[in-house]
């Protein structure tokens, strides 16, 4: 799809090409893993692109043993990515401002981000404590042990600011993952797909 200059919520002055999803991408009428309606008021979402300022959650919890997803850097700026317990509090801020969130900040990774770089997220529930693994262009750069007091479902989430635009790939079914998933991981599964 081609977004015209004035009509796209994500771009004010340039042409951006967004992938369009028509019909049934999975072939079975199954819903797609995508961004949910739980997002900050200044967050802009179009298909799998996120921009603006604030936090957005994905529409399904992570309940499989090992899940993997990626973000491609489309426009530079600051972002945080990780997992959080569902809450509508502090959505206009960054993930670092939220409680019950386990995430990394682009500023803390000590990586020189460029347009086209990929951040991979691997969430592992197979151990006593959940683990979040962060990959930069396919290389493991950080491991976060999530809190023991994590209660209930957690959701993939991301926050953006300072002009950042990211393209998400949650399942790997519409387009293959650029660098993953690591061994024994798979794209995020919609809850009914696991049954």
């Amino acid at each position: 799809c081609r977004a015209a200059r004035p009509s796209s919520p994500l771009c004010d002055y340039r042409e951006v090409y967004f992938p369009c999803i028509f019909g049934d991408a999975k072939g079975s009428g199954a819903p797609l893993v995508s961004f949910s309606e739980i997002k900050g008021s200044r967050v802009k979402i179009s298909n799998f692109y996120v921009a603006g300022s604030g936090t957005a959650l994905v529409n399904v919890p992570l309940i499989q043993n090992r899940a993997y997803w990626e973000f491609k850097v489309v426009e530079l700026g600051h972002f945080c990515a990780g997992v959080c317990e569902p809450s509508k509090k502090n959505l206009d801020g960054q993930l670092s401002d939220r409680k019950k969130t386990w995430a990394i900040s682009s500023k803390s990774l000590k990586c020189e981000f460029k347009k086209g770089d990929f951040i991979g997220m691997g969430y592992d529930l197979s151990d006593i404590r959940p683990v979040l693994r962060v990959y930069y262009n396919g290389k493991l750069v950080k491991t976060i042990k999530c809190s023991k007091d994590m209660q209930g479902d957690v959701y993939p989430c991301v926050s953006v600011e300072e002009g950042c635009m990211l393209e998400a790939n949650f399942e790997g079914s519409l387009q293959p993952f650029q660098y993953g998933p690591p061994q024994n991981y798979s794209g995020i599964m919609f809850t009914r797909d696991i049954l």
Side-chain angles (χ1 to χ4, degrees):
C1 263
R2 184 173 159 181
R5 287 185 176 147
S7 65
S8 173
L10 295 182
C11 56
D12 297 327
Y13 58 89
R14 61 188 181 275
E15 289 187 7
V16 175
Y17 291 85
F18 295 115
C20 286
I21 302 167
F22 297 106
D24 179 8
K26 288 186 176 180
S28 64
L32 295 172
V33 177
S34 62
F35 287 108
S36 73
E37 296 298 317
I38 302 175
K39 66 180 186 65
S41 61
R42 296 172 295 162
V43 173
K44 308 292 186 210
I45 294 174
S46 178
N47 292 333
F48 295 95
Y49 289 81
V50 61
S53 180
T55 298
L57 276 65
V58 174
N59 64 344
V60 295
L62 294 170
I63 61 172
Q64 67 205 70
N65 280 344
R66 291 185 180 104
Y68 179 80
W69 64 100
E70 290 179 337
F71 294 103
K72 178 181 179 181
V73 177
V74 178
E75 294 292 337
L76 296 174
H78 177 243
F79 66 88
C80 295
V83 297
C84 68
E85 291 183 6
S87 169
K88 293 185 178 181
K89 295 180 181 177
N90 297 329
L91 291 172
D92 286 328
Q94 297 299 296
L95 287 176
S96 55
D97 302 333
R98 294 172 54 93
K99 293 181 180 181
K100 304 279 185 159
T101 298
W102 298 270
I104 54 92
S105 163
S106 58
K107 293 177 182 176
S108 71
L109 280 179
K110 299 181 177 128
C111 299
E112 302 243 353
F113 288 100
K114 303 178 296 301
K115 290 181 184 181
D117 282 346
F118 285 82
I119 297 299
M121 308 298 292
Y123 188 65
D124 185 350
L125 286 171
S126 66
D127 205 349
I128 294 170
R129 284 176 64 184
V131 174
L132 182 66
R133 291 184 174 87
V134 182
Y135 300 84
Y136 172 67
N137 290 333
K139 295 182 180 164
L140 181 65
V141 293
K142 183 114 176 149
T143 299
I144 302 168
K145 288 200 178 207
C146 300
S147 174
K148 290 179 186 177
D149 68 344
M150 188 183 308
Q151 300 285 320
D153 293 334
V154 297
Y155 289 74
C157 52
V158 65
S159 62
V160 292
E161 67 179 351
E162 300 173 5
C164 183
M165 181 190 293
L166 301 175
E167 178 186 4
N169 186 351
F170 297 118
E171 299 180 73
S173 62
L174 296 176
Q175 63 183 9
F177 289 119
Q178 183 71 27
Y179 288 103
Q183 187 174 2
N184 298 323
Y185 284 77
S186 61
I188 299 170
M189 295 180 196
F190 210 88
T191 307
R192 77 175 191 191
D193 292 347
I194 294 174
L195 302 175

